[in-house]
Amino acid sequence: MSKLWYSLSVISIPQWARDSIQKECTNFLWNFGSHLVSYKTIIGEKHDGGLKIADIYLKMLSFRLKFLAKHFCCNKDFLWKHIFRYFLSKIQNLGAGMEIFLLQFKKTDLEGLPQFYNELLCAWYAIKDYIIVTEKENDVFNYCLFFNPKVQRRNKMLNWKDFISASITHVKDISYEVIPGFLPISCIVEIFQEQNSEVNVSLITKNYKDLLLSIPEEWKNYVHENEYKRTCFQPNFDISYRDQRIVFQSGTVQIFYNLLVQKMFQEPVSNIYWRDKLDMNDKSSIEKRWETVWVLYKTPDITELDFKIFHNIIFTYEKLFKIGKSDSKICPICMLECEDIMHLFIRCKELAEFKNNFVIYHLESLLKDCESDVFNRLNFEEIFMTALHKGIKNVNVFFVNYFISVCRFCIYRRRQIFLQSEKKIDIERLCRYTLRHYISYNHYQLTVLEKKMNLFKKFFLHRNPLLKETEGILLFIF
Ligand SMILES: [Zn+2]
């Protein structure tokens, strides 16, 4: 992708090409099948339920914003900055400088502007919610009267071609130069008559009155009290980023991209599903569980299953029936109840023995040292279908989540084997074997290959009554 990013940073790529590359990438991600999680979710951070899939359009906008940050940097004067300013001043013939960034144009208003600069303004509008503008009081004279969200008549911005072609575009154009105050209507008519002697005076008078009414009160007060001084309009733009205020010039492509993704990101719909299903009132605990999906030392197939469970995208028989892919929604193993996700992983009668004698039994010993009020608040279904998040005293939270993930994986594996071969595997044996196998693998990887015994101790042995190690040999107490 780096070749694409480089090209995007310097040239424009047509929308159809961007869309087609993006489509290929997303289809590849979903193995050319149906897209199970919304695109606006998977572009998000992994700890929010996304997959951090790069969005080509937003990446392009971030490169444009970086270009703009370089432009705002006054230290160096390059030829390209003059060319850029020339094109900006030509937009709608406003002759605007930096104040152009306070205006709001529609796509059609920017026709004729080279594509690269067009994208630059689109990028600016996309990030505008995060921009903090610091203006000086005497900037009032430099403000533009048209396409300005602050100058509105009947809730609409003004766009008066006749005023613009008479070069009346800024507050300074309707103000006296040596004394405070706005020009009288006679002067305005004169300016119009310099261009065209046959002007409709009554229309200009009406429009000028309207214009003065549309200007914000504080601007009017300032003009009435102060003389016009020729100044260069140089506002300070800052970005509000993760509770910090950053000078726009020092913004990086990554910061701009993160902000654009944050704006587009859609919270996983499954957050609401699980909150209702498990009756969880604490919004943060349902959101924090996403972090536990991507922890190290889990195998990719377990991580994938956790991701799918948390997103509620497992194809249970209830779902297959709903989309017409199955004649029945009854659980194929117990043949008693509808197989929804809770039935598949917890409530199936065939799982009762495993659940009580293995999962709950060992969970109780893993959680035995946690404070009694925490223990009493823990609900089995909630722990089993989500995850514990950090901060439970005297508990190896990593291992509890690891243990739960492996148990869920074995339940799912056993079901898949049954669907393929109709064989009912001993779930407890499968789970014990899988746990031992994966723990041994991590033990070998961390202690023998990477020589990081401390990490193995921290994640697997610390406060773990199910596992002991003596002289490099693992002892499984389950
Ligand atoms: Zn069942």
Side-chain angles (χ1 to χ4, degrees):
M1 292 294 263
S2 52
K3 273 187 184 173
L4 176 67
W5 300 149
Y6 178 71
S7 312
L8 271 177
S9 68
V10 282
I11 53 162
S12 298
I13 293 182
Q15 193 184 345
W16 65 264
R18 279 195 322 252
D19 291 351
S20 145
I21 300 171
Q22 193 77 64
K23 204 174 151 197
E24 286 300 314
C25 295
T26 323
N27 286 342
F28 174 75
L29 170 77
W30 294 112
N31 213 4
F32 299 92
S34 17
H35 299 185
L36 302 176
V37 182
S38 154
Y39 178 73
K40 287 183 178 177
T41 301
I42 56 165
I43 56 162
E45 294 283 344
K46 288 182 176 177
H47 58 73
D48 291 326
L51 285 171
K52 222 171 186 297
I53 295 295
D55 181 90
I56 298 173
Y57 180 64
L58 298 187
K59 209 70 168 180
M60 186 187 79
L61 294 186
S62 327
F63 286 123
R64 300 294 176 269
L65 288 165
K66 182 65 197 169
F67 184 89
L68 203 55
K70 284 184 192 161
H71 176 260
F72 287 167
C73 198
C74 311
N75 298 346
K76 287 173 187 164
D77 193 29
F78 292 113
L79 180 64
W80 63 262
K81 291 191 179 181
H82 291 277
I83 298 170
F84 179 42
R85 280 200 284 272
Y86 166 78
F87 278 112
L88 290 184
S89 71
K90 290 291 165 200
I91 296 173
Q92 292 292 320
N93 294 319
L94 289 172
M98 282 289 273
E99 64 276 18
I100 202 100
F101 294 102
L102 304 179
L103 308 184
Q104 183 74 44
F105 296 101
K106 290 199 289 281
K107 226 175 182 178
T108 45
D109 300 329
L110 297 174
E111 273 166 13
L113 190 68
Q115 182 63 16
F116 188 86
Y117 300 128
N118 208 313
E119 288 164 1
L120 221 144
L121 283 177
C122 287
W124 176 254
Y125 295 142
I127 210 164
K128 224 171 174 189
D129 294 348
Y130 303 103
I131 302 284
I132 308 159
V133 191
T134 319
E135 295 151 276
K136 295 180 286 297
E137 242 196 339
N138 60 1
D139 284 336
V140 167
F141 289 105
N142 289 313
Y143 289 152
C144 207
L145 298 164
F146 305 106
F147 299 94
N148 193 332
K150 286 191 177 168
V151 185
Q152 296 204 3
R153 189 91 189 117
R154 295 183 193 96
N155 294 325
K156 271 188 173 173
M157 288 187 296
L158 310 181
N159 167 15
W160 294 347
K161 294 274 184 288
D162 48 350
F163 273 67
I164 295 170
S165 37
S167 294
I168 301 173
T169 51
H170 288 69
V171 175
K172 62 187 172 200
D173 300 328
I174 54 168
S175 309
Y176 279 117
E177 284 210 20
V178 281
I179 53 164
F182 289 105
L183 292 172
I185 181 63
S186 55
C187 289
I188 302 293
V189 172
E190 231 169 78
I191 297 172
F192 270 87
Q193 280 167 341
E194 272 174 29
Q195 304 234 329
N196 177 7
S197 51
E198 289 170 25
V199 289
N200 184 338
V201 178
S202 61
L203 183 68
I204 293 170
T205 312
K206 182 195 163 291
N207 282 347
Y208 187 52
K209 271 185 194 164
D210 276 353
L211 181 62
L212 291 179
L213 283 172
S214 314
I215 294 172
E217 281 307 310
E218 63 269 25
W219 295 12
K220 275 190 259 189
N221 294 340
Y222 188 81
V223 174
H224 282 304
E225 286 160 17
N226 298 278
E227 289 165 29
Y228 167 57
K229 283 191 192 76
R230 199 174 292 272
T231 52
C232 179
F233 182 57
Q234 203 57 258
N236 289 325
F237 294 121
D238 290 332
I239 323 161
S240 147
Y241 179 66
R242 293 182 182 162
D243 302 327
Q244 278 182 312
R245 194 170 165 150
I246 298 170
V247 179
F248 191 89
Q249 285 90 313
S250 61
T252 59
V253 174
Q254 195 58 50
I255 290 179
F256 293 131
Y257 182 75
N258 289 348
L259 283 172
L260 293 168
V261 166
Q262 187 182 320
K263 199 176 163 194
M264 189 175 175
F265 177 71
Q266 194 181 67
E267 187 192 347
V269 281
S270 62
N271 280 0
I272 296 168
Y273 172 84
W274 282 116
R275 214 175 296 155
D276 292 347
K277 197 89 185 166
L278 299 168
D279 206 12
M280 291 169 75
N281 299 321
D282 182 12
K283 190 170 179 272
S284 68
S285 59
I286 205 94
E287 285 163 3
K288 277 182 190 160
R289 82 213 147 106
W290 292 109
E291 291 169 16
T292 66
V293 174
W294 302 101
V295 290
L296 290 170
Y297 315 119
K298 277 199 294 193
T299 56
D301 41 6
I302 296 186
T303 303
E304 186 185 330
L305 182 69
D306 285 352
F307 181 80
K308 285 182 171 172
I309 294 173
F310 288 6
H311 270 294
N312 185 29
I313 50 172
I314 302 272
F315 279 107
T316 57
Y317 269 81
E318 186 195 36
K319 277 198 181 167
L320 291 172
F321 180 72
K322 230 181 230 173
I323 55 173
K325 298 271 180 197
S326 161
D327 299 334
S328 155
K329 47 182 166 180
I330 299 297
C331 166
I333 304 182
C334 69
M335 303 289 272
L336 291 170
E337 289 170 41
C338 162
E339 189 202 49
D340 62 3
I341 194 161
M342 295 301 277
H343 181 92
L344 196 162
F345 286 100
I346 299 184
R347 296 178 185 166
C348 182
K349 291 266 184 304
E350 301 258 340
L351 289 172
E353 206 184 313
F354 171 66
K355 186 177 94 181
N356 295 322
N357 299 350
F358 189 84
V359 186
I360 296 183
Y361 179 78
H362 290 311
L363 270 181
E364 277 176 356
S365 85
L366 284 167
L367 296 168
K368 71 176 182 343
D369 290 333
C370 86
E371 289 159 336
S372 60
D373 67 317
V374 177
F375 190 79
N376 293 336
R377 261 188 284 128
L378 294 173
N379 162 310
F380 174 71
E381 291 200 341
E382 188 182 315
I383 305 176
F384 199 71
M385 295 314 288
T386 60
L388 289 184
H389 48 84
K390 285 171 211 154
I392 298 185
K393 258 188 179 176
N394 305 333
V395 174
N396 182 340
V397 171
F398 167 83
F399 192 79
V400 175
N401 288 337
Y402 188 86
F403 174 80
I404 292 170
S405 288
V406 175
C407 290
R408 281 193 305 236
F409 176 71
C410 292
I411 293 174
Y412 190 68
R413 187 93 192 88
R414 171 188 177 252
R415 171 190 183 263
Q416 298 309 93
I417 292 170
F418 179 80
L419 293 182
Q420 281 158 14
S421 61
E422 298 221 341
K423 272 187 204 149
K424 278 188 193 173
I425 287 184
D426 178 348
I427 175 79
E428 198 177 314
R429 224 176 122 214
L430 173 69
C431 194
R432 197 174 289 129
Y433 168 80
T434 313
L435 270 168
R436 287 177 185 194
H437 178 72
Y438 286 157
I439 294 170
S440 303
Y441 171 80
N442 278 310
H443 181 241
Y444 182 74
Q445 177 73 25
L446 282 172
T447 61
V448 180
L449 297 183
E450 294 179 21
K451 309 264 183 255
K452 289 175 182 163
M453 185 59 199
N454 53 337
L455 285 183
F456 187 78
K457 269 188 189 156
K458 181 183 167 193
F459 290 114
F460 291 91
L461 295 173
H462 180 68
R463 290 192 181 276
N464 186 353
L466 306 189
L467 200 61
K468 292 279 170 287
E469 195 218 34
T470 30
E471 291 168 11
I473 306 292
L474 283 177
L475 190 64
F476 301 105
I477 313 158
F478 55 87

